[in-house]
Amino acid sequence: MRYISTRGEAPVLSFSDVLLTGLAEDGGLYLPQTWPSLSPEEWHALRGLPYPELAARILSLFTGDDIDEATLRQLCAKAYAGFDHPAVVPVVQLENGLFVQELFHGPTLAFKDMAMQILGHLFEHVLSERDSHVTIVGATSGDTGSAAIEACRGRKRLSVIILHPKGRTSEVQRRQMTTVHEANVTNLAVEGTFDDCQDLVKACFADLTFRKDMHLSAVNSINWARIAAQIPYYVYAALNFGAPGQDVSFAVPTGNFGNILAAWAARKMGLPVSRLCVGSNRNDILTRFLNKNDMTMKDVVPSLSPSMDIQVSSNFERLLFELLDRDAAACARIMTSFRSSGHMDVPEQTWEKARTLFSGLALDDAQTEAEIRHLHQNSHYMADPHSAIGIAAGRKFRDKNSPMIAVATAHPAKFPDAMVAATGIHPALPEHLADLFSRKEYYETIPATADAVKNAVRTAVANTH
Ligand SMILES: *Cc1c(COP(=O)(O)O)cnc(C)c1O
C-alpha cells in the first residue's frame, strides 16, 4: 500500500513513512493510492469479531507490507486493553431508529483515544525497527494534548512536549495532562493564548536545523494513520446492525473533519452507509458549505463544545480531492486560493456530489443545552455538548430505512459545568480518574517566545534519552 498527496507534488510513501511524516511536503494530505475494497462476503466474515481483532484486520489493509497482521493484532490488543468498557465502543439506543455509539471509554474520556492509543504503539514499533526516536511537539486547547500524552507516556523512543495556554483550559483537561509524571512527558504552560501556542509550535517546525536535530514529529489529525485508526468503529457498528445486508447512517459532531472522514472511508471501502451527518456548533463553516456552498472562514467563537471551535476543517481537503476525482492540480489550486482569500470556490457539481451523501446541522449554545436536557429527560441519557450536537443532527436526518448512529465523542464528566446547567446533575469521573483533583501537577511555565520553547524541548529530549 502506497500513499499519495492531495496536491500531487510530494513523494509517494509507505504507511510507516506517512505515519512519521504527517503533512506532505507539498502542503497536501496523504491518502491511499488505491482504496481497499471488501466484498459482501468479506464484510460478513468480520461479523462478531471483538473490537481489537476487527481493528487489526481493518488496519492491515492500510499498513501493506510495513507491519504484518500478527503484529497489528498484538498492538491493537494492547491499545484497547485500557478501555473501561468490555465492548470498547458500545452502542446504546436513544429513540426509535436513533442510536449512540460511545467512543469515550478510553483513558482521557474523548474519542481521540481511539486513534491515539494505537498510534502510540505504531510509533514505538516502527521506531524500534528503525532504531530511531522522535520528538512530538504539539499545542492543545484541550483533548488532543491529553490523548497524545496518554498514548506516548513511558515510551523510550518518544519524547512528547505539549504546550497549553496557561489558565485557559478547563481544569479537568489541564489536570489530565499535568498529572502525568514520566521522564518523556513535558507540559509547558505558555503565558499566552492557544493561537500563541500554535504559532510557537509552527516556529519550532519552521527552524529546519532544530527540526532535524530534534527529530520533530506531529500527531495532529492530518496524520493519515489517525484516520485509518478511526475506520474500525464505523465498521463495528454497521456489522452489528446487520451490514452488509443492512444500510446504516452516521451522525458525527465535527471539527477538523477527521472523524467523519473515517466514516466516508469505510463507505468507500464498500460498507453500506446511506447518509453522513455533520453536526456543528456556531463555528459552522461545514454546515454553511453543505447547505449553501458557502465555505468562508470566520473568526472562531468560543462555545460549549470547544473541540469543535474551528475556523477551517483541515481534513476536508481529503474529501475535496476525492470529489474532484483526484485531480490534484485542481485541489491544490482551490486550497491555495482558500488560504489566501478565506473563501473556497467549490465547483457547483462537486458541491452537489457532496450533498448526495452529507447533510449538516448547526446548533448554538442554547440549542445545545436544550438538546442535552431533552436527552436526559426523555431517554435518560447524559450526552456531553459535542455528542448532543451529533445526536441532534442524527435525529434531523434519520429515515426509516436505515438505523441512524450518532457517535458520542466525549464523556459528560469532561464538561461538568455544561451538564449541571442543562440537567442539574454533576456527572462523576470514572474510577481511574476519580482522584484527578488530588494528584500532583507537573508543568513548567514559560513566556510565549520561540527561544523558551526550543530550550524546553532540548532539555526534555535530553531527559528522555
Ligand atoms: C476532536 C473532537 C471532535 C472533532 O473531531 P474532528 O475529527 O476534528 O472532526 C469532536 N468532539 C470531541 C469531544 C473532540 O475531542
Side-chain angles (χ1 to χ4, degrees):
M1 171 67 73
R2 313 284 286 168
Y3 291 84
I4 55 167
S5 163
T6 50
R7 302 201 188 169
E9 304 282 340
V12 173
L13 296 182
S14 72
F15 179 85
S16 300
D17 289 323
V18 166
L19 172 75
L20 299 180
T21 305
L23 193 71
E25 268 173 24
D26 57 2
L29 307 184
Y30 276 107
L31 275 174
Q33 199 160 36
T34 52
W35 286 99
S37 176
L38 279 71
S39 65
E41 294 70 36
E42 287 170 316
W43 287 120
H44 206 275
L46 298 174
R47 276 198 191 166
L49 288 179
Y51 186 76
E53 291 262 333
L54 179 73
R57 297 270 197 109
I58 300 291
L59 277 174
S60 73
L61 303 171
F62 293 99
T63 53
D65 298 333
D66 283 10
I67 308 174
D68 62 79
E69 200 180 313
T71 305
L72 278 172
R73 226 176 289 133
Q74 286 171 8
L75 300 181
C76 287
K78 282 192 238 165
Y80 298 110
F83 282 56
D84 74 352
H85 194 293
V88 184
V89 284
V91 177
V92 179
Q93 184 159 15
L94 298 175
E95 294 166 22
N96 193 32
L98 181 62
F99 301 81
V100 62
Q101 183 177 33
E102 296 179 345
L103 306 180
F104 54 69
H105 292 283
T108 74
L109 315 181
F111 98 97
K112 305 275 188 306
D113 289 329
M114 296 303 308
M116 286 303 314
Q117 282 294 311
I118 183 67
L119 244 69
H121 288 279
L122 291 172
F123 263 101
E124 183 86 357
H125 175 77
V126 170
L127 291 170
S128 71
E129 278 195 330
R130 297 181 180 192
D131 191 21
S132 182
H133 66 93
V134 297
T135 304
I136 288 163
V137 180
T140 192
S141 57
D143 292 340
T144 310
S146 54
I149 287 172
E150 278 300 329
C152 300
R153 64 185 297 173
R155 299 189 186 285
K156 288 188 198 65
R157 294 178 183 278
L158 290 167
S159 316
V160 54
I161 295 105
I162 300 293
L163 285 65
H164 71 265
K166 186 166 176 143
R168 293 175 199 244
T169 57
S170 82
E171 190 166 5
V172 176
Q173 287 177 323
R174 185 191 74 238
R175 286 183 163 272
Q176 281 187 311
M177 298 189 282
T178 57
T179 58
V180 174
H181 189 40
E182 300 276 0
N184 73 327
V185 172
T186 303
N187 279 288
L188 299 177
V190 175
E191 289 170 326
T193 63
F194 173 60
D195 287 335
D196 293 331
C197 295
Q198 274 192 312
D199 289 345
L200 291 168
V201 170
K202 277 190 204 141
C204 289
F205 277 84
D207 179 343
L208 296 181
T209 315
F210 181 76
R211 177 177 180 166
K212 202 160 147 261
D213 288 352
M214 294 291 124
H215 295 233
L216 292 197
S217 184
V219 288
N220 46 17
S221 77
I222 46 114
N223 194 312
W224 164 256
R226 274 186 62 179
I227 309 289
Q230 290 166 182
I231 298 172
Y233 47 80
Y234 291 107
V235 173
Y236 185 80
L239 295 177
N240 273 311
F241 278 95
Q246 167 69 55
D247 280 24
V248 296
S249 293
F250 291 104
V252 185
T254 297
N256 249 327
F257 207 74
N259 200 356
I260 199 164
L261 187 84
W264 178 88
R267 183 175 185 272
K268 188 79 183 162
M269 293 163 68
L271 194 73
V273 174
S274 49
R275 185 139 293 277
L276 292 174
C277 311
V278 168
S280 315
N281 59 32
R282 275 185 52 208
N283 302 290
D284 60 350
I285 185 164
L286 283 168
T287 314
R288 277 185 280 122
F289 166 70
L290 291 169
N291 294 337
K292 309 185 283 207
N293 197 4
D294 170 22
M295 180 87 88
T296 311
M297 287 186 212
K298 288 189 183 171
D299 287 339
V300 174
V301 218
S303 77
L304 291 178
S305 43
S307 296
M308 289 149 62
D309 291 348
I310 45 101
Q311 195 182 28
V312 295
S313 301
S314 353
N315 271 296
F316 180 79
E317 179 168 344
R318 289 189 161 110
L319 178 68
L320 179 68
F321 177 71
E322 295 286 350
L323 293 174
L324 294 166
D325 299 318
R326 300 197 148 202
D327 181 343
C331 187
R333 205 164 50 236
I334 293 173
M335 290 310 299
T336 311
S337 104
F338 178 49
R339 287 289 162 185
S340 60
S341 72
H343 174 78
M344 192 185 291
D345 236 331
V346 179
E348 196 74 7
Q349 83 239 38
T350 307
W351 174 63
E352 291 288 359
K353 244 199 255 176
R355 276 161 53 93
T356 59
L357 177 62
F358 288 91
S359 306
L361 175 71
L363 263 57
D364 64 20
D365 278 357
Q367 291 168 319
T368 305
E369 192 178 311
E371 176 65 33
I372 296 173
R373 191 175 304 117
H374 173 87
L375 287 166
H376 177 242
Q377 282 174 353
N378 293 273
S379 304
H380 318 292
Y381 192 75
M382 292 284 271
D384 96 287
H386 305 78
S387 309
I389 289 173
I391 293 167
R395 183 187 302 108
K396 172 156 184 192
F397 298 111
R398 81 181 140 182
D399 73 63
K400 60 182 188 318
N401 298 322
S402 60
M404 174 64 75
I405 305 152
V407 295
T409 51
H411 191 291
K414 273 197 114 157
F415 301 95
D417 298 346
M419 300 313 294
V420 170
T423 67
I425 294 170
H426 193 296
L429 284 164
E431 208 164 333
H432 72 277
L433 288 170
D435 65 344
L436 186 66
F437 285 84
S438 58
R439 291 184 196 165
K440 187 165 161 34
E441 294 189 77
Y442 301 88
Y443 62 86
E444 224 182 290
T445 300
I446 59 161
T449 67
D451 279 343
V453 177
K454 286 181 196 169
N455 282 336
V457 170
R458 284 192 197 95
T459 309
V461 171
N463 287 344
T464 309
H465 305 291

